[in-house]
Amino acid sequence: MAQQDRAIRTRRVILEAAASVFDEQGYDRATIAEVLERAGVTKGALYFHFASKEQLALAVLEEQVVDIAVEPQKIKLQEFVDSGQVLAFRLRSDPIQRGAARLAVEQGSNHLDRKQSMLSWTRFVEGLLNEARDRGEIMESIVVRETAELFVGAFAGLQMMSQALTNQADLSRRLTVFFEHTLPSIAVPAILAKLNLDSERGAQLDAALQGRALAKAAAGADVEVAAG
């Protein structure tokens, strides 16, 4: 178990290092050598987890979606809003989110299949919206798949504009403005009135999520020590 935990931690260190390099250099200019230097691992350790730069980049893109998991809410549409705000907050400094964001939208290289990132985010949003519709939170006339694609595409555009203007510092506020303009067209009025769209919510939720993650890790370490 301890060996498996170390392998998981090593994989995460490599992913974060690679994401930072992709964020700064882009896919084409990034090198395995720079990832190795930044991660502080051997070439063998990296290739144990990832066979190529392409696999590294695809893993970063996949991890971006996996990382966004917020606490369940009584209103599923609030979970949708919360997921967007947590992502907007993390794009300020989280290496996985920033690296994946650049990989997903940068132009030029044809060596990386970027469509999987957009498809993964669309499935994620579509799942939340389908649950919201099942609960009667959004209008029956809404075509969920098209709405999910609209939100994913719009967020990509907001993210690019915020990056160019403020290095993502104002993305949370831009997302709140977007929600204020679009949610009235899909949400049932009674639900819309209950949604918290505060642009500071992402920071608050992320702090709570990080606290729980640290507590879980500490509990796991205590169990490992006791078992040893």
Side-chain angles (χ1 to χ4, degrees):
M1 182 64 71
Q3 185 175 1
Q4 183 180 13
D5 289 343
R6 282 195 296 272
I8 293 172
R9 287 195 293 270
T10 299
R11 183 181 187 276
R12 181 70 184 196
V13 166
I14 294 169
L15 276 180
E16 290 186 354
S20 295
V21 174
F22 290 136
D23 177 35
E24 296 166 13
Q25 304 292 338
Y27 180 76
D28 285 338
R29 293 176 57 199
T31 65
I32 291 292
E34 190 167 358
V35 174
L36 288 172
E37 181 179 354
R38 197 163 303 194
V41 300
T42 65
K43 187 179 293 186
L46 187 147
Y47 283 115
F48 174 79
H49 293 282
F50 307 102
S52 64
K53 184 172 78 170
E54 181 183 11
Q55 279 196 11
L56 257 177
L58 292 174
V60 169
L61 288 168
E62 181 180 350
E63 198 73 13
Q64 182 189 33
V65 183
V66 173
D67 267 4
I68 302 301
V70 299
E71 289 296 307
Q73 300 289 328
K74 291 181 179 179
I75 299 176
K76 185 58 66 169
L77 208 53
Q78 184 67 61
E79 286 185 44
F80 166 62
V81 170
D82 290 351
S83 297
Q85 288 293 11
V86 169
L87 175 57
F89 175 74
R90 290 186 179 175
L91 277 166
R92 299 181 192 179
S93 59
D94 183 273
I96 294 291
Q97 299 303 328
R98 289 182 65 88
R102 176 160 182 177
L103 287 172
V105 301
E106 74 173 343
Q107 303 295 310
S109 174
N110 295 317
H111 302 298
L112 184 64
D113 182 8
R114 293 178 174 82
K115 69 181 180 182
Q116 293 306 317
S117 174
M118 294 298 180
L119 292 173
S120 294
W121 276 117
T122 299
R123 285 192 294 269
F124 177 80
V125 173
E126 188 177 6
L128 289 173
L129 293 180
N130 272 323
E131 289 187 62
R133 185 174 62 180
D134 291 343
R135 297 184 183 189
E137 297 174 4
I138 64 177
M139 301 174 190
E140 286 293 332
S141 60
I142 297 301
V143 180
V144 170
R145 177 71 179 190
E146 293 177 354
T147 303
E149 290 178 346
L150 170 65
F151 276 106
V152 171
F155 186 89
L158 289 173
Q159 181 269 128
M160 291 175 67
M161 187 173 186
S162 181
Q163 173 66 27
L165 296 178
T166 67
N167 194 29
Q168 308 291 12
D170 67 353
L171 181 55
S172 296
R173 179 57 192 159
R174 290 181 183 277
L175 183 59
T176 291
V177 172
F178 177 70
F179 281 147
E180 289 171 345
H181 281 74
T182 55
L183 288 178
S185 68
I186 72 168
V188 172
I191 294 296
L192 182 64
K194 297 177 181 178
L195 295 178
N196 184 345
L197 306 181
D198 186 359
S199 59
E200 296 301 316
R201 187 168 171 81
Q204 297 162 5
L205 291 169
D206 184 67
L209 289 168
Q210 297 297 337
R212 279 189 283 274
L214 288 172
K216 183 178 179 181
D222 289 342
V223 171
E224 185 175 321
V225 169

